Amino acid sequence: MDLDLTGRHALVCGASEGIGRAAAHELALLGAGVTVLARREAALREVAAALPAAHGQRHDWRAADLADTAALRATLEALVAARPVDILVNNTGGPPGGSAHAAGAEDYLDAFGRHLIAGQTLVQAVLPHMRARRWGRIVNVVSTSVREPIPGLGVSNTVRGAVAGWAKTLSRELGPDGITVNNVLPGYTETGRLAQIVRDRAAREGRDEDAVRADMQAGVPARRFARAEETAAAIAFLCSPAAAYVTGVSLAVDGGRMASI
Ligand SMILES: NC(=O)c1ccc[n+]([C@@H]2O[C@H](COP(=O)([O-])OP(=O)(O)OC[C@H]3O[C@@H](n4cnc5c(N)ncnc54)[C@H](OP(=O)(O)O)[C@@H]3O)[C@@H](O)[C@H]2O)c1
C-alpha cells in the first residue's frame, strides 16, 4: 500500500493540540513536510519542533485565528506563495454546547465563521496549486453529529451538517482535478475538548468525573475512548496516495458508537 507522502506539503489546522496535533505527527511520519496552524504561537513552535523528520523534510508553523477571515486570508496568501499546499486538514475547536432553540443568531454566525467560512477560505487558498498539480487532499475533521445529532450540541450539530454538505459538493466538483475531499467523524477522543466535556457533565450532574467517563465508555462498543493517534491515522490514510479513489465519504472513527448504518 502506497502511503508515501515524501515531497508533499501538508497544512494542518487546529494543530497546537488534540486531533490536529496528532494528524500533523502521522502525516510527518509518512514523509510530508507539515505546517501547523492555530492561535497559540508558543504551542505551535513546540509542536513543529517535535514533529518527526526522518525523510529530511521541513516543518513550520503559522499563528492565525480561523475566526478572523481577513487575517487568515492574508496569512494563507503568504504561506502558499512561499510553499504551495498539497494536503489540507481542515480542523478547529468545536462550538460551545447548548440547545439549538436557545442559541442566538451570533452563536450560529460565530460557528459558521469558524467552521464553514474558515474552511472555504482555506480551500480557496490552496486550490490553485492543487489544480495545477492535478493532485490534492482535503480532509475535514467534523463529528459523528453529521449522521446522528448529539443532544446538547445544537449549534454544533447544525454547522457540522452544513460542513458535510459543503464537503460532499466540493468532492464532486474537484474530483476531475485529482483532488479528494473527505470528512473524518471522531467519536470520543482523548483530548482537551473531551476532558472539558467530561468536567462540564460531571459538574452539571453533580457526579464524579470517573463515573461520567465510565458511563460514556459503556455506550461505545469498543468500551473505551479513542487515542488521538487513532483518529489521526484515519486522516493520514485519506491523505495518502493509497486513498486516491476514496472521495466524498464521511469516515467515523468512533469505536462503533453510532447506531446508524
Ligand atoms: N475530542 C473528541 O472527543 C471529539 C469528538 C467529536 C468531534 N470532535 C471535533 O474534532 C475537532 C478537534 O477536536 P479536538 O478534541 O482535537 O479539540 P481540541 O483538543 O480542543 O483542539 C482544538 C484545536 O483547534 C485550535 N483552535 C481552536 N479555535 C481556533 C481558532 N479560532 N483558530 C485557530 N485554531 C483554533 C486549538 O488551538 P489554539 O487554542 O492554539 O488556537 C487546538 O489546537 C473539533 O471540531 C471537535 O469538536 C472532537
Side-chain angles (χ1 to χ4, degrees), residues 13-21 37-41 43-44 64-67 91-95 114-115 141-144 150 156 160 185-194 197 257:
C13 302
S16 58
E17 63 175 289
I19 293 168
R21 178 176 58 192
L37 182 149
R39 292 167 301 186
R40 283 171 296 147
E41 226 176 280
L44 288 170
D65 185 345
L66 293 165
N91 172 61
T92 185
R114 288 191 297 111
H115 290 262
V141 179
V142 202
S143 167
T144 54
I150 300 169
S156 179
R160 308 297 193 174
L185 316 181
Y188 298 137
T189 310
E190 291 279 16
T191 67
R193 177 162 170 89
L194 187 67
I197 287 170
R257 180 164 60 88

Side-chain angles (χ1 to χ4, degrees), residues 48-92:
L51 289 174
H55 301 250
Q57 73 268 48
R58 184 166 61 83
H59 304 303
D60 206 347
W61 57 271
R62 289 288 183 281
D65 185 345
L66 293 165
D68 184 343
T69 307
L72 177 65
R73 193 173 288 131
T75 301
L76 295 171
E77 274 169 14
L79 174 71
V80 298
R83 196 180 182 194
V85 170
D86 305 292
I87 295 166
L88 169 65
V89 178
N90 179 24
N91 172 61
T92 185

Side-chain angles (χ1 to χ4, degrees), residues 112-168:
F112 271 84
R114 288 191 297 111
H115 290 262
L116 197 64
I117 306 303
Q120 175 74 353
T121 305
L122 286 156
V123 166
Q124 287 184 335
V126 301
L127 210 47
H129 168 77
M130 289 183 180
R131 275 200 151 130
R133 290 190 63 170
R134 302 194 61 72
W135 198 97
R137 298 284 185 270
I138 298 170
V139 176
N140 307 299
V141 179
V142 202
S143 167
T144 54
S145 63
V146 163
R147 301 239 179 79
E148 297 181 2
I150 300 169
L153 289 177
V155 173
S156 179
N157 293 339
T158 308
V159 74
R160 308 297 193 174
V163 169
W166 167 76
K168 185 69 182 178

